[in-house]
Each structure stands twice: as structure tokens, then as C-alpha cells.
């Protein structure tokens, strides 16, 4: 008879799987670098507060913030969104609403290198990943009452 799950040595815990299935996407800035300020028109990544359909010009090319829904409820695929596998920079943004000041844990996994901003502060950074590993990173993020803007910059 198999051992009880508690005796297997595996970490077993209940996880509330609330994913962000809807984002605004913007990009792709081909052959981009993480240090470049592609959202300078809005005061930079930390200050941008885009709306669906908002357009801007960078280096003579027009870009637009577009609503993107995850096909499976949790994976947001930049390569599929732009039919691309170039070394570009792409952005995703979403708004979280909090009833009161609170801290949340964000679990994050991605390929490439990524920065996460919340309410103008950088709250996370990943390494240069070659393959996707779900929930590899865990970031504690402070939310204020009301809307809280998340901006993800991904290379």
C-alpha cells in the first residue's frame, strides 16, 4: 500500500490558483534591450497607465496597446501574440483592485528576462531563462486601496 502523501517528502500545499487571464499587450520592439525606455512617452515603464487602443510612436514606428486574453486561462504567449521569436521587448499590463492596503504573493514563470513594476516601483526581476518554468519566481507585492497597475517588461 502506498505511503500517505504526507510521508512522501513532497511539499504539498493548497494554492489558490488565481491567474491574470486578461492583459494589455504592447510590442514587439525587435532586437530590443531591457534597459531601453520604450515607454518614455508615458514617463517610462514605472509610470505608464495605458488604456486599450492607446497608440504611440517609438523610433518612427507606431505601437498600440491591445487587449489579450489567455487561451488557457494562465499562459500569456508573447511569441504567439506577434507571430515572432525575435529577441524583442514586449510589455503586458493589468490592474489589480484591492479593498484595503495589503500584500500579495505573485508567482511568475517565463522564458527570457523580465522586469515587473507595481505602482511605479520595480518589484521583480528574473534571470535570462531559456525555457518556461511555471511559478519559478515568487514576489511579495504591496497593494494600496483601489487600483494598482502592474507592468511587465519582457525580453
Amino acid at each position: 500500500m502506498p505511503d500517505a502523501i504526507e510521508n512522501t517528502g513532497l511539499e504539498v500545499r493548497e494554492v489558490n490558483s488565481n491567474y491574470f487571464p486578461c492583459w494589455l499587450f504592447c510590442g514587439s520592439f525587435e532586437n530590443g534591450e531591457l534597459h531601453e525606455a520604450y515607454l518614455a512617452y508615458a514617463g517610462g515603464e514605472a509610470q505608464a497607465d495605458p488604456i486599450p487602443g492607446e497608440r504611440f510612436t517609438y523610433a518612427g514606428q507606431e505601437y498600440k496597446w491591445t487587449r489579450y486574453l489567455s487561451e488557457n486561462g494562465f499562459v500569456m504567449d508573447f511569441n504567439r501574440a506577434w507571430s515572432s521569436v525575435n529577441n524583442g521587448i514586449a510589455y503586458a499590463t493589468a490592474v489589480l483592485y484591492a479593498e484595503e492596503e495589503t500584500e500579495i504573493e505573485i508567482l511568475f514563470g517565463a522564458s527570457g528576462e523580465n522586469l515587473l513594476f507595481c505602482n511605479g516601483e520595480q518589484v521583480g526581476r528574473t534571470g535570462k531563462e531559456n525555457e518556461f518554468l511555471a511559478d519559478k519566481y515568487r514576489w511579495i507585492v504591496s497593494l494600496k486601496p483601489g487600483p494598482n497597475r502592474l507592468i511587465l517588461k519582457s525580453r
Side-chain angles (χ1 to χ4, degrees):
M1 176 157 226
D3 289 336
I5 193 73
E6 294 84 11
N7 297 327
T8 63
L10 297 174
E11 179 185 3
V12 178
R13 62 188 168 91
E14 185 175 330
V15 175
N16 182 356
S17 297
N18 290 321
Y19 294 97
F20 305 107
C22 180
W23 294 80
L24 289 181
F25 272 13
C26 182
S28 151
F29 302 86
E30 291 193 28
N31 300 312
E33 296 294 334
L34 217 52
H35 66 273
E36 284 284 325
Y38 302 100
L39 301 184
Y41 82 96
E45 290 93 15
Q47 303 306 316
D49 191 19
I51 59 173
E54 181 178 338
R55 296 172 189 270
F56 66 96
T57 301
Y58 179 85
Q61 186 171 344
E62 185 176 79
Y63 293 91
K64 179 174 82 168
W65 288 95
T66 304
R67 187 172 179 224
Y68 187 88
L69 294 172
S70 170
E71 292 180 11
N72 62 8
F74 71 99
V75 172
M76 304 301 285
D77 191 338
F78 284 136
N79 291 333
R80 181 172 291 172
W82 287 286
S83 301
S84 170
V85 293
N86 72 51
N87 287 326
I89 295 291
Y91 291 94
T93 185
V95 176
L96 299 178
Y97 290 88
E99 297 277 329
E100 58 190 33
E101 189 173 309
T102 188
E103 286 188 340
I104 62 169
E105 181 180 46
I106 293 179
L107 305 177
F108 180 79
S111 59
E113 189 173 9
N114 302 272
L115 300 174
L116 180 68
F117 299 89
C118 182
N119 296 329
E121 299 290 324
Q122 184 180 323
V123 295
R125 182 179 191 131
T126 71
K128 295 179 181 179
E129 308 296 335
N130 290 324
E131 60 185 319
F132 176 79
L133 180 60
D135 300 343
K136 178 177 181 176
Y137 296 91
R138 297 169 185 267
W139 298 315
I140 302 299
V141 175
S142 297
L143 301 180
K144 62 182 175 135
N148 295 269
R149 170 73 61 189
L150 292 177
I151 294 184
L152 176 68
K153 183 177 188 180
S154 182
R155 179 170 192 275

